[in-house]
Amino acid sequence: MVPVITIDGPSGSGKGTIARRLAARLGFGMLDSGALYRLTALASQNAGLAPQAPEIVDIARHLACRFDEEGNVFLNDENVSRELRTETTGAIASQIAARPEVREALLQRQRDFARAPGLVADGRDMGTVVFPEAPAKIFLDASAEVRADRRYKQLIENGFDASFTALVEEIRQRDERDRNRSVAPLRPAEDALVVDSSDLSIDEVEATLWRYIQDRL
Ligand code: C5P
């Protein structure tokens, strides 16, 4: 079996950065599963559909998307990397992601990312639903304020406008929806290593996870 490392956690916990670092260090591929939900949200918005529209299931099933080595994401050959990361897209993605039939439509596509020599998969249900047999499972957490602060800096760095107070509120709402939905709620797998990164630098988080992974692969 192809070795898979799962990294789950709420938005802004640092899982994307850590997933990229670990994948590069191991020479593994990467699955940013949130991007698939965001792409579904974007394609639905482009089609003028509300988050509950039945057509969204088909959109999720037939997404024509591509990820390149530099981290760019393409939807129907258009580079949508920027639009994908906005808070609006994230909020719509989280509404769409609460629908079981949409999750089902994206399940196999996510599993298809597991190819030799290995995969680092980040998301909300990588360890609990998509790759329950993964040998290394991580749940990365951090307080809502710390996550909003990181997100704020990231947005400003990338040239977006942002309000810190609005971000804390948006993050709280999105977490609430992700943690309380009936299907694949955000929670650590029973056999996951749980790390709270609130008071840790990204290098410290990486060092902790690296030690854990060494023993498991
Ligand atoms: O991780 P990211 O913020 O890009 O994800 C956007 C939204 O997609 C999340 O708020 C969550 O609702 C949903 N998602 C999910 N399951 C995943 C990844 C993302 O439900 N595995």
Side-chain angles (χ1 to χ4, degrees), residues 6-24:
T6 63
I7 309 184
D8 290 306
S11 58
S13 58
K15 49 187 170 52
T17 309
I18 283 292
R20 269 192 302 281
R21 284 194 183 195
L22 294 179

Side-chain angles (χ1 to χ4, degrees), residues 10-45:
S11 58
S13 58
K15 49 187 170 52
T17 309
I18 283 292
R20 269 192 302 281
R21 284 194 183 195
L22 294 179
R25 222 163 142 175
L26 293 159
F28 281 13
M30 261 208 59
L31 164 63
D32 169 6
S33 60
L36 294 177
Y37 289 94
R38 285 174 183 265
L39 282 162
T40 307
L42 208 56
S44 309
Q45 262 183 308

Side-chain angles (χ1 to χ4, degrees), residues 37-188:
Y37 289 94
R38 285 174 183 265
L39 282 162
T40 307
L42 208 56
S44 309
Q45 262 183 308
N46 291 346
L49 297 168
Q52 293 313 321
E55 295 90 333
I56 292 183
V57 180
D58 259 355
I59 289 189
R61 193 163 287 128
H62 302 294
L63 270 183
C65 61
R66 185 164 62 79
F67 299 82
D68 76 8
E69 297 285 313
E70 281 91 53
N72 291 305
V73 188
F74 298 82
L75 178 62
N76 301 319
D77 282 330
E78 186 193 342
N79 189 336
V80 293
S81 317
R82 228 183 123 74
E83 290 159 272
L84 214 57
R85 302 259 61 96
T86 65
E87 287 306 306
T88 316
T89 308
I92 297 171
S94 127
Q95 290 174 51
I96 286 174
R99 296 177 54 187
E101 66 279 26
V102 173
R103 305 197 71 82
E104 180 61 35
L106 290 175
L107 189 59
Q108 192 53 46
R109 187 188 284 259
Q110 295 176 81
R111 290 185 174 152
D112 290 342
F113 276 79
R115 283 183 231 115
L119 178 73
V120 180
D122 94 65
R124 304 293 187 290
D125 62 341
M126 297 297 100
T128 50
V129 177
V130 182
F131 300 108
E133 309 295 333
K137 298 183 183 176
I138 294 151
F139 189 89
L140 206 52
D141 212 343
S143 72
E145 286 75 16
V146 167
R147 291 187 287 118
D149 187 53
R150 288 178 187 161
R151 191 83 186 102
Y152 179 78
K153 289 183 180 135
Q154 213 175 42
L155 286 168
I156 299 293
E157 250 170 45
N158 290 314
F160 289 105
D161 268 344
S163 138
F164 178 73
T165 339
L167 266 178
V168 175
E169 190 44 40
E170 274 164 19
I171 281 189
R172 286 226 164 90
Q173 278 178 18
R174 187 132 72 90
D175 282 0
E176 168 106 356
R177 195 159 42 225
D178 290 349
R179 288 183 205 269
N180 295 318
R181 66 185 176 211
S182 57
V183 55
L186 172 64
R187 63 171 174 81

